[in-house]
Amino acid sequence: MTQSSVAVAAPPGDVHSANPHHARRWLILAVIGIAQLMVVLDATVVNIALPSAQHALGFSDDARQWVVTAYALAFGSLLLLGGRLADLFGRKNALLVGLAGFAAVSALGGAASSIELLLVARAAQGVFGALLAPAALSLLTTTFTDPKERGRAFGVYGAIGGGGAAVGLLLGGVLTQYLDWRWCMFVNIIFAVVAFIGGLLLLRGQKADGPRPKLDLPGTITATAGLFAVVYGFSNAEHDSWSSVSVWGFLVAGVALLAVFTWLQTRVAHPLLPLRVLLDRDRGASYIAMFLLAIGMFAIFLFLTFYVQLNLRFTPIQSGVGFLPMVAALMIAATTATSVLLPRIGAKPLVPTGMVIAALGLFWLSAIDLQSTYANGVLGPLIVMGLGIGLSMAPAMSVATFGVDPRDAGVGSAAVNTMQQVGGSIGTALLSTLASNAATSFIAGKQPTQQLAAEAAVHSYTTAFTWAAVIFLAGGVITGLMLRPGKPAAAPEGAPAAVHM
């Protein structure tokens, strides 16, 4: 089935009559939230289980990183294709296929008897995640069209996106410690089955009202290959030198392919990513915000996890619990920002202010040392960062999908996810390199001792936090200059409303 947009005049006072999902919109939000939580959790829940999985399957340290990278490569490179497939064949269909496939390959990964099978399952999770994530966000975009209700819905969605990674650390610790590492894969089946049943019962399929647009094959090939090369290049930078061909070669190739992709999009009849989706000032600022937020959040989750486990001696479960104050603050800020503030004052004051607040939290966190405790060195900055990220991320996500033509909702949503994924990959490579260089410089010319090694490690973490704070500050300035003032405009009563048939 395909979908398209037709203009239908909604009678005055009945602006929701054209929306087939309006009466069930809050139940649909629950389904979308479960699906999104599964995708976000999967980025971190497996990390905690890696040492146990390595012991059980007997694979090397080099192979261990590919358990994470296989998912990231498939997910990041196929998001635009997944979003366009949702537009072409129906978002309900894309969501259900994505959920069913994710559950099946998660079962395969949980039952894996070798590292090869586990890697195949992780890559397949990325494939189905690339179909699932844009479908979920585009369904949210087209289901909630009233600015006030849209704000509440995106507040919930943004809170899941921002806090889900931290919850994944806690869940991974609980499952690994009390059950088995395999349950970090099996748990996806529970989420997927619940969301699949809900989607099957609540979502209405779309019918085609015209010829199906053709898939942009040249654009698909260049975008997929370009994104793969970029993500792969930055992944290699974690363990190879930046001067290595495996890093700069893939990055140059990726940039060149994405440049060709952009050129193609101006010349084909049915572009994979219509430039009309990108060339909006507010939407562009929101994409930049999502990209930079993903870079900074990497520093928080990775390096702070190292600090609390290696220096404060937290168990995996304690580490996950330690992030919960940040999750709570993020959820409160996200829901308040989008349901109360965004409809009244718009995104311009919210996104830059949130990024500056998050930067201040990171600067505060960069003051930790070997004598710091969780209470006096970590808790306060976590809460501040949660408030800042929630205040910026949820409004940015809402604005990034606001006003997108319904026929482009899938690929527009995929662009948001792509910005996050590429930002996370860059954050992994860039901040890891900066942290490693800082540790090396710290111990250079000094007599090696256990104390010095511990101090160097903490110095590397604080260096990463400082640079992440600078990135957030830059994001605050850029988005403050780009975003237009004013609140989102609601369609007047009686105005044509986009309806999916």
Side-chain angles (χ1 to χ4, degrees):
M1 292 187 292
T2 64
Q3 59 189 35
S4 60
S5 305
V6 291
V8 178
D14 189 24
V15 294
H16 299 299
S17 61
N19 187 344
H21 293 149
H22 180 69
R24 295 165 286 181
R25 62 198 182 283
W26 298 111
L27 291 173
I28 291 172
L29 174 61
V31 171
I32 293 171
I34 293 171
Q36 173 67 3
L37 180 62
M38 182 181 70
V39 173
V40 175
L41 284 176
D42 214 62
T44 56
V45 70
V46 174
N47 293 15
I48 298 294
L50 277 179
S52 298
Q54 183 177 12
H55 177 75
L57 300 181
F59 53 84
S60 66
D61 288 345
D62 290 339
R64 185 170 61 185
Q65 65 136 343
W66 282 102
V67 178
V68 176
T69 304
Y71 178 83
L73 285 173
F75 186 68
S77 60
L78 294 173
L79 273 166
L80 290 179
L81 175 60
R84 182 47 94 193
L85 290 176
D87 289 332
L88 295 179
F89 298 100
R91 292 160 202 135
K92 175 181 178 179
N93 294 334
L95 184 76
L96 296 181
V97 170
L99 287 167
F102 208 99
V105 296
S106 295
L108 177 67
S113 58
S114 67
I115 180 59
E116 291 80 11
L117 196 57
L118 180 59
L119 291 178
V120 168
R122 287 290 288 164
Q125 281 183 322
V127 172
F128 286 107
L131 182 64
L132 170 61
L137 183 53
S138 59
L139 279 167
L140 184 70
T141 301
T142 55
T143 298
F144 290 89
T145 52
D146 178 81
K148 291 184 178 180
E149 291 190 345
R150 178 185 174 89
R152 288 193 288 271
F154 270 87
V156 173
Y157 190 88
I160 293 172
V167 175
L169 295 173
L170 173 59
L171 182 61
V174 171
L175 293 174
T176 302
Q177 184 167 327
Y178 292 110
L179 292 173
D180 186 81
W181 71 269
R182 297 181 184 275
W183 275 96
C184 291
M185 301 287 284
F186 289 144
V187 71
N188 292 321
I189 301 172
I190 300 172
F191 288 116
V193 168
V194 172
F196 184 92
I197 294 173
L200 193 65
L201 296 176
L202 296 172
L203 295 173
R204 179 178 295 180
Q206 296 99 1
K207 297 179 180 178
D209 68 338
R212 177 187 299 168
K214 296 179 180 179
L215 185 64
D216 172 19
L217 289 178
T220 298
I221 293 170
T222 51
T224 301
L227 289 170
F228 179 93
V230 168
V231 174
Y232 186 69
F234 278 111
S235 298
N236 286 338
E238 291 182 63
H239 50 81
D240 295 341
S241 167
W242 286 92
S243 60
S244 171
V245 176
S246 64
V247 177
W248 69 261
F250 277 98
L251 293 179
V252 170
V255 171
L257 285 166
L258 291 176
V260 173
F261 165 73
T262 303
W263 177 79
L264 287 172
Q265 299 311 282
T266 65
R267 285 162 172 77
V268 296
H270 304 287
L272 177 68
L273 178 60
L275 295 186
R276 60 179 175 267
V277 174
L278 300 178
L279 299 180
D280 174 85
R281 182 171 159 182
D282 290 338
R283 203 172 297 132
S286 298
Y287 287 147
I288 291 172
M290 298 303 297
F291 174 76
L292 296 178
L293 282 167
I295 294 177
M297 286 177 66
F298 163 80
I300 299 169
F301 290 125
L302 181 69
F303 294 107
L304 190 54
T305 299
F306 287 161
Y307 177 75
V308 298
Q309 289 193 7
L310 299 179
N311 294 87
L312 301 184
R313 304 298 180 185
F314 279 24
T315 66
I317 294 177
Q318 288 174 326
S319 301
V321 172
F323 279 104
L324 291 184
M326 175 186 170
V327 175
L330 193 153
M331 293 179 69
I332 292 170
T335 53
T336 302
T338 50
S339 63
V340 178
L341 299 177
L342 184 63
R344 288 174 170 80
I345 62 176
K348 187 176 180 68
L350 299 177
V351 177
T353 301
M355 297 191 79
V356 171
I357 291 173
L360 294 176
L362 278 163
F363 279 127
W364 185 4
L365 187 62
S366 68
I368 57 173
D369 55 30
L370 289 179
Q371 285 69 48
S372 299
T373 65
Y374 177 81
N376 69 24
V378 176
L379 179 59
L382 270 182
I383 294 174
V384 172
M385 289 185 293
L387 291 172
I389 292 171
L391 190 64
S392 55
M393 176 176 279
M397 192 173 290
S398 179
V399 173
T401 55
F402 187 77
V404 176
D405 192 307
R407 62 185 172 176
D408 298 326
V411 74
S413 301
V416 176
N417 287 287
T418 300
M419 286 294 178
Q420 288 181 288
Q421 185 64 33
V422 175
S425 298
I426 291 175
T428 301
L430 177 62
L431 295 175
S432 292
T433 301
L434 291 170
S436 177
N437 290 342
T440 301
S441 299
F442 189 86
I443 63 177
K446 299 176 182 177
Q447 184 67 29
T449 64
Q450 188 174 357
Q451 176 76 8
L452 180 63
E455 291 175 352
V458 173
H459 178 66
S460 72
Y461 309 153
T462 58
T463 299
F465 296 146
T466 301
W467 276 105
V470 171
I471 290 170
F472 276 178
L473 282 179
V477 173
I478 294 170
T479 55
L481 293 173
M482 289 184 65
L483 286 167
R484 298 184 184 96
K487 60 184 181 180
E493 291 188 55
V499 182
H500 304 294
M501 303 298 291

